[in-house]
Amino acid sequence: MQILTQLVFSGIALGMIYAVIAFGYQLTFATSDTLNFGQGEALMLGALVGLTLVGWGVNYWLMLPLVCLFGAFQGAVVERIGVRPAIKMKSEFGWIMSTIALGIIFKNVAENVWGRDDLRFPSPLPEAPLKVLGANVLPMELLVIVGAVGMMLAVEFFNRKTIYGKAVVATFNDRDAAKLMGINTGLVITFSYALSSLTASFAGVLIAPLTLTGATMGAVLGLKAFAVAIIGGLTSGMGIIVGGIILGVAETTTGFYLSTGYKDVPGLVLLLIVLAVKPAGLFGKTAIKKV
């Protein structure tokens, strides 16, 4: 039971990282019906920029908001260069190739700036494990859970309680009606991409002390986060959290009880089942259009 508890805690921490990245997918889909397939690269850049700042002597807690600002800028650049032209031309798939291409460019830039070797990110917390329900849990794993939940709650508070957040919600509900009411929907979409990359960069500096940091770290995390978004539902924040936890726990338990070579299988099987049974996701709502 102690081993299982430890695996569950590790799975929840991993799943919350998936959820934060998947939350970024939801933000852009809500305002523009597009997805940033470079989310993994935003996470990677956030981790590497954070590592550089820490190497320059910047305190980890001061580095966090600086990386978030960098992530927001990077996301706004992606929207301006890759997504906005496709939306203006009403290209159905142009934004897909544009975000993928920009992600590859960011990865190549990272390899040339930071190198191809994986780097160690110093932990801001003690590395001695804590006893939680009889299991050994790293303090950084607890910080990942708290930080991920805090980030998502902050975004939800912004959307529900601020005037700018209500503009985002209005754009999500009906973009054309929001535009007629005087809302600058183009700016809202840019903001959603900035917020999306901000959350991914934040996730990068959260998970970096638990793993190795490098130019390739974002590819798998971004893909798994996309699977979480599909499993939970792109229109449901709660679904994304549940989907992330399910995938994270499934990976850690499968990797321990079966083999690390099979740890990716449960998530993919669940994704196929959800797509076959409930394409909108476990908590997603199927859109009904009147014609």
Side-chain angles (χ1 to χ4, degrees):
M1 285 301 297
Q2 290 181 356
I3 294 176
L4 179 60
T5 304
Q6 189 166 334
L7 290 172
V8 169
F9 270 111
S10 298
I12 291 175
L14 180 61
M16 292 308 298
I17 289 296
Y18 292 157
V20 171
I21 307 171
F23 195 59
Y25 286 120
Q26 185 194 51
L27 289 170
T28 58
F29 183 78
T31 56
S32 61
D33 290 330
T34 63
L35 300 170
N36 180 9
F37 285 103
Q39 275 288 90
E41 281 65 37
L43 176 143
M44 173 269 296
L45 286 175
L48 287 172
V49 169
L51 180 62
T52 299
L53 292 175
V54 170
W56 289 347
V58 179
N59 181 273
Y60 180 88
W61 309 108
L62 178 61
M63 172 269 296
L64 283 173
L66 297 177
V67 168
C68 288
L69 288 174
F70 170 81
F73 173 76
Q74 186 258 350
V77 169
V78 169
E79 192 276 336
R80 288 282 181 170
I81 296 176
V83 179
R84 179 164 296 195
I87 292 178
K88 284 185 176 180
M89 293 186 296
K90 296 183 179 180
S91 174
E92 188 174 355
F93 301 109
W95 54 269
I96 297 177
M97 296 310 301
S98 295
T99 55
I100 292 175
L102 286 170
I104 294 173
I105 291 172
F106 289 138
K107 177 177 174 291
N108 289 337
V109 169
E111 287 178 342
N112 283 281
V113 174
W114 286 279
R116 299 191 177 192
D117 295 331
D118 291 328
L119 306 171
R120 171 141 178 84
F121 198 113
S123 175
L125 300 178
E127 298 188 3
L130 303 173
K131 282 287 184 181
V132 179
L133 300 177
N136 293 323
V137 180
L138 293 175
M140 199 64 209
E141 291 179 335
L142 297 177
L143 178 62
V144 165
I145 297 172
V146 173
V149 172
M151 171 60 74
M152 288 186 283
L153 288 177
V155 174
E156 284 295 318
F157 177 84
F158 173 83
N159 285 340
R160 295 176 183 273
K161 300 297 182 180
T162 67
I163 186 65
Y164 300 106
K166 290 177 180 179
V168 173
V169 175
T171 304
F172 164 64
N173 290 328
D174 192 323
R175 196 191 315 169
D176 292 332
K179 186 181 294 186
L180 291 173
M181 294 298 293
I183 295 174
N184 188 338
T185 55
L187 185 60
V188 169
I189 293 172
T190 302
F191 175 78
S192 71
Y193 266 81
L195 193 57
S196 171
S197 291
L198 182 154
T199 58
S201 298
F202 180 76
V205 292
L206 279 184
I207 199 173
L210 293 174
T211 183
L212 295 175
T213 305
T216 60
M217 67 179 295
V220 175
L221 288 171
L223 183 61
K224 291 183 178 180
F226 180 67
V228 166
I230 299 301
I231 292 170
L234 277 167
T235 58
S236 172
M238 179 58 68
I240 284 177
I241 294 175
V242 173
I245 293 175
I246 290 173
L247 183 58
V249 173
E251 285 189 1
T252 55
T253 53
T254 302
F256 180 82
Y257 289 112
L258 293 180
S259 168
T260 54
Y262 291 105
K263 68 183 182 66
D264 295 330
V265 174
L268 296 175
V269 171
L270 180 59
L271 175 62
L272 294 174
I273 293 173
V274 170
L275 287 174
V277 177
K278 202 172 187 297
L282 296 176
F283 293 82
K285 296 180 180 178
T286 302
I288 300 175
K289 294 184 178 181
K290 295 181 179 180
V291 293

